[in-house]
Amino acid sequence: MASTSINTFTGFVGWKSSSLFPHSNALNATLSLPFNPKRHFSVTCSASSSDPLLVKAARGEPVSRPPAWMMRQAGRYMAVYRKLAEKYPSFRERSETTDLIVEISLQPWNAFRPDGVIIFSDILTPLPAFGVEFDIEDVRGPVIQSPIRSEEGLKALHPIDLEKLSFVGDSLKILRREVGGDAAVLGFVGAPWTIATYIVEGGTTRTYTTIKSMCHTAPHLLRTLLSHLAQAIADYVVFQVESGAHCIQIFDSWGGQLPPDMWERWSKPYIKEIVDLVKKRCPETPIVLYINGNGGLLERMKDTGVDVIGLDWTVDMADGRRRLGSGIGVQGNVDPAYLFSPLPALAEEIQRVVRCAGPRRHILNLGHGVLVGTPEEAVAHFFEVARSLKFDTLFQNKSAEDPRLVA
């Protein structure tokens, strides 16, 4: 899948609305994008009976089986990707060039036919579009030469310039044409807290001491940064939807590094702001929220207003479903290490997870991204098993005991 930043992939003050999305009918208009003389598609923010399986499941509509995709389903475990990366060694070139983005995004689609095709990108990709330049070094990963740690640093920020992200929009349009209605095209963004960790720390960190200290030493500064990020990311989400994304996943990759009460204060309000803004513009677009290490946050995550919550593999799916209830979707959560196990063991675990999740509002996925070195035959088997599952037979005995389980 897309990387989550290599480890995984008025000015600024008081700015509330983007001039790129004025209050007009343009936001609700249908954008027609011709593919060839015989094939067209329309991008809208409304529901349709022809929506892909994954979108229907995310909205809570009845489906016959669990849709499946994998975080980091495009990447280094695939031989075809490694060959392409040898030719184009720069990660930023691969993730910021339309032709390469499309080719890489479609590699797992062509090989495995998942129910979701996620754009190959990075959560840091939009940073230069609102004033934060970054580099990616082979050893250090993402590097931000001018971290924002002062009022002066905030002056570099500006409303997001979506023209600088045209390669994202163009790639999503092409992906939507290529997969047609056979799969959902997935866009994604980083949550404000997670993005802020890079901007404040200057890159990857294991301790998060600088930004955590800022919560107490310069809370006004951090709030201003997070508010700006929330608005910019919300505009970026709408841009992705209007370019062709059926569904959006928000990665709060480092939200799990916060104590629950701190996450409640410093991450949740800004995620909720994004969700509220997006739902006003594109109310039918499902939003998934994933936090690595979210076992202590599940009930708090539910209040953000997202449609689906991704569970990592450290949370038992049955326990996660019990804690969240049936009124919200769940995604996950097979341990990525199971893809190194014998295929029968993998199939058994997939079935266990699906049974625990139940026949409604479940998107089958891993509990984290595909690991480097994962056998491609195991990935293929994962999707073969997913396609073979049928709720009417899988829950046949259970439905007799509890009619609420009937899809």
Side-chain angles (χ1 to χ4, degrees):
M1 106 143 211
S3 159
T4 40
S5 291
I6 304 305
N7 298 357
T8 23
F9 146 168
T10 231
F12 58 92
V13 179
W15 178 72
K16 293 294 182 184
S17 62
S18 170
S19 60
L20 296 168
F21 288 111
H23 299 292
S24 71
N25 292 330
L27 287 174
N28 299 317
T30 298
L31 176 62
S32 295
L33 298 161
F35 175 47
N36 60 42
K38 297 181 180 179
R39 192 173 177 187
H40 298 262
F41 79 93
S42 296
V43 176
T44 69
C45 286
S46 60
S48 168
S49 59
S50 61
D51 284 329
L53 185 71
L54 187 150
V55 176
K56 291 180 178 180
R59 291 199 189 112
E61 299 171 17
V63 292
S64 61
R65 65 170 177 85
W69 70 283
M70 290 183 178
M71 291 182 282
R72 289 206 198 110
Q73 68 186 13
R76 289 175 290 173
Y77 76 97
M78 294 190 73
V80 65
Y81 176 86
R82 294 195 300 272
K83 184 176 180 180
L84 183 144
E86 290 177 2
K87 185 176 181 181
Y88 303 97
S90 166
F91 176 82
R92 287 196 65 178
E93 182 181 9
R94 296 195 299 274
S95 61
E96 297 180 14
T97 305
T98 300
D99 290 348
L100 296 178
I101 294 170
V102 171
E103 182 175 353
I104 295 169
S105 302
L106 290 176
Q107 285 174 348
W109 166 248
N110 293 329
F112 312 119
R113 284 299 194 266
D115 294 300
V117 175
I118 190 164
I119 184 173
F120 183 81
S121 187
D122 192 89
I123 60 172
L124 299 187
T125 294
L127 265 61
F130 54 79
V132 181
E133 297 297 330
F134 74 98
D135 297 310
I136 294 180
E137 298 181 1
D138 289 341
V139 177
R140 295 177 61 190
V143 176
I144 294 171
Q145 299 293 351
S146 301
I148 295 178
R149 300 170 182 169
S150 66
E151 295 280 359
E152 187 67 23
L154 287 174
K155 295 179 181 179
L157 300 177
H158 56 74
I160 191 167
D161 181 357
L162 296 174
E163 291 184 3
K164 292 184 177 179
L165 296 166
S166 59
F167 54 88
V168 172
D170 292 343
S171 298
L172 287 167
K173 292 171 187 175
I174 296 170
L175 290 174
R176 182 74 175 257
R177 296 166 186 163
E178 287 296 309
V179 303
D182 296 330
V185 173
L186 309 176
F188 72 93
V189 294
W193 169 264
T194 288
I195 298 298
T197 65
Y198 292 95
I199 294 175
V200 171
E201 299 282 350
T204 303
T205 177
R206 293 184 178 180
T207 60
Y208 306 89
T209 51
T210 303
I211 191 169
K212 285 185 176 182
S213 175
M214 189 181 287
C215 293
H216 309 286
T217 61
H220 63 290
L221 180 69
L222 186 54
R223 288 193 189 99
T224 301
L225 173 60
L226 291 168
S227 293
H228 184 90
L229 291 174
Q231 180 66 61
I233 292 166
D235 282 348
Y236 185 40
V237 169
V238 174
F239 171 70
Q240 291 187 42
V241 172
E242 294 193 329
S243 297
H246 288 99
C247 182
I248 297 292
Q249 179 153 312
I250 299 174
F251 285 92
D252 195 6
S253 304
W254 311 132
Q257 298 295 324
L258 286 169
D261 68 314
M262 291 283 283
W263 184 84
E264 188 91 28
R265 208 177 317 163
W266 292 103
S267 185
K268 177 180 174 179
Y270 303 98
I271 294 174
K272 191 174 189 307
E273 182 179 347
I274 292 170
V275 174
D276 289 346
L277 288 169
V278 173
K279 289 296 185 181
K280 287 178 183 178
R281 298 173 179 180
C282 299
E284 298 298 330
T285 299
I287 300 176
V288 182
L289 174 59
Y290 174 81
I291 300 177
N292 187 27
N294 63 6
L297 300 172
L298 292 186
E299 291 83 357
R300 290 173 165 88
M301 292 171 69
K302 185 177 178 179
D303 295 337
T304 59
V306 298
D307 303 278
V308 180
I309 291 176
L311 305 181
D312 72 15
W313 75 90
T314 64
V315 179
D316 182 78
M317 178 57 78
D319 184 48
R321 176 58 92 185
R322 178 187 60 78
R323 290 168 61 187
L324 291 169
S326 60
I328 191 167
V330 290
Q331 179 176 275
N333 69 339
V334 175
D335 183 349
Y338 258 99
L339 295 168
F340 292 84
S341 302
L343 298 185
L346 173 60
E348 184 177 336
E349 175 63 6
I350 291 169
Q351 293 179 39
R352 187 195 69 82
V353 167
V354 172
R355 286 194 181 96
C356 289
R360 294 288 285 269
R361 294 180 177 270
H362 177 223
I363 299 169
L364 181 62
N365 205 315
L366 302 179
H368 203 298
V370 181
L371 298 171
V372 176
T374 296
E376 291 188 45
E377 67 170 349
V379 177
H381 191 65
F382 180 97
F383 290 115
E384 289 167 3
V385 172
R387 282 189 292 271
S388 73
L389 297 176
K390 295 293 180 286
F391 286 141
D392 57 357
T393 55
L394 195 61
F395 292 92
Q396 190 171 18
N397 295 330
K398 284 286 185 182
S399 62
E401 301 168 10
D402 187 352
R404 293 172 297 177
L405 289 174
V406 177

